[in-house]
Every structure is written in C-alpha cells, then in structure tokens.
Amino acid sequence: RAWCVEGCMHPAWERLQKEYLANIGSKKNARRWMKELIQKTCLVSWDMWDSRNHLVHNDKTTRRNQITAILHQDVQDIHGFARSHRFLPCVAKEFFATPINTILTGSDYNKRIWKRIGERYLDNDRKRMARNPRAALMREWLIPGSSEGRNRQRRQVRQDAEEVAGGPQEATGDDKRERKANL
C-alpha cells in the first residue's frame, strides 16, 4: 500500500502507527508521529532540491566556463567565416586579420566586443548585398555559396545540435527570413 499519495500521507498510516504503539505499550502519540513524518519528508525533499540547485547553479566556475566556451565557439565561427570571405571591404579584412589565438587570449569582455564588431561587419556586408542584387549575383557566380555561406553554416550547426539533442531547435531570425524568401 502506498504511504504517500500526491504529496499527502495516507490516513491509514496514522491508524496503523496508533495500533503499533498500543501493542508495544508506548505512551507516544500516533498523530505526533504523523506530523514528524510529514515534516521529515518535506525536509528531505527540500535538502535534495537545495543540493541539486547548488550543484547546478551556484558553481560560478562551471557556469563561467560554459559561457566562455560558447563565446569562444562564436568568436571562432565568425573569425573562420570572415577569414574565408573574399569580398569583405579592406577595413573588415584588416579587422579579421588578427590571429584567432590573440583574440581568444583576451578577456571575456574584449571577446564580446570583438564578436559584436565582427558580426556588425558581416551584417553590413549582407545588407550591402541585399541592396545590390547584381553584386550578390556576381559574387555568387564567382564563388558559389559565398552569399549564403554564413546562413548555411548556421543551419549546419543547428542540424548538428538537433542530432545531439534529439529534436528541432528554435529557428533564428535569419532562418525565418530565408523561409519567407524561399516561398
């Protein structure tokens, strides 16, 4: 028989404890025993939750390492894509000429700034190609895949993540725009 149903103690346990205490000749109260059992159960579940919470959320070094790893991956993705991009303006090429090891040895703050500036250069290039469809067509003709390379790379990363996670991930703004453009 279940002793706890949906978080509530079954009333039969109090009756059984009362009979047990009467059989052994104890002066203890079955109702008091039931209250202490409920309290102990709550404390055990609270301690388990608190312990798990501490392991998952309060370990600052683990969380910081996870955030830094994601930041490193983003910086490497942007740097790798931009270094292989032949049509960026000279200013952007100079910016992306910095070796990746130099960028990754900087502080997290500097990496975030570098990432934001790098994304801005790549987004400006994408906007420039959107404003000038002939240039985009010429670029695509010269190097197939160069206009949509970054979006293709994002799709591949998301597909890899879906395979690992076992399900589809939420679409980003670029993917939503791509779907609209393909319709």
Side-chain angles (χ1 to χ4, degrees):
R1 187 182 260 198
W3 63 279
C4 182
V5 179
E6 295 182 4
C8 298
M9 298 297 169
H10 197 281
W13 281 102
E14 185 176 346
R15 183 178 41 82
L16 291 171
Q17 183 67 11
K18 186 175 184 178
E19 290 174 14
Y20 171 74
L21 292 173
N23 285 342
I24 63 169
S26 176
K27 294 183 181 182
K28 293 184 180 181
N29 187 344
R31 179 153 297 223
R32 174 130 177 102
W33 176 83
M34 190 68 144
K35 287 179 183 178
E36 288 175 2
L37 180 63
I38 292 170
Q39 183 180 15
K40 187 67 171 173
T41 305
C42 289
L43 287 176
V44 167
S45 62
W46 174 266
D47 289 342
M48 288 174 62
W49 176 82
D50 193 44
S51 174
R52 182 227 174 249
N53 227 11
H54 178 72
L55 289 173
V56 172
H57 299 291
N58 286 347
D59 191 1
K60 302 268 190 241
T61 57
T62 302
R63 186 159 172 77
R64 186 174 297 126
N65 290 342
Q66 291 171 347
I67 291 169
T68 302
I70 292 169
L71 183 60
H72 277 215
Q73 187 60 47
D74 290 346
V75 167
Q76 288 171 343
D77 291 346
I78 292 169
H79 189 270
F81 178 76
R83 292 284 295 208
S84 65
H85 199 302
R86 296 183 184 175
F87 297 107
L88 285 176
C90 291
V91 173
K93 285 182 182 180
E94 288 176 22
F95 175 77
F96 290 114
T98 308
I100 189 71
N101 292 336
T102 305
I103 300 164
L104 295 178
T105 56
S107 68
D108 283 355
Y109 177 75
N110 288 338
K111 287 180 244 181
R112 280 192 207 98
I113 290 174
W114 188 94
K115 177 185 168 191
R116 185 167 293 162
I117 294 170
E119 285 175 336
R120 191 172 295 159
Y121 277 128
L122 294 176
D123 287 342
N124 286 342
D125 180 64
R126 183 186 48 78
K127 289 175 186 175
R128 193 174 75 239
M129 289 300 107
R131 284 191 310 264
N132 191 347
R134 285 185 174 173
L137 186 62
M138 181 60 75
R139 178 188 285 185
E140 190 64 32
W141 180 73
L142 289 171
I143 301 175
S146 62
S147 298
E148 290 295 319
R150 186 147 188 242
N151 291 332
R152 187 177 306 115
Q153 183 182 26
R154 284 182 180 163
R155 280 194 304 270
Q156 183 61 42
V157 167
R158 189 173 36 271
Q159 287 171 354
D160 293 344
E162 287 175 4
E163 290 173 8
V164 171
Q169 305 294 319
E170 187 174 323
T172 62
D174 290 338
D175 295 329
K176 292 175 185 173
R177 284 190 288 273
E178 280 182 36
R179 284 191 214 124
K180 286 181 183 176
N182 291 335
L183 294 178

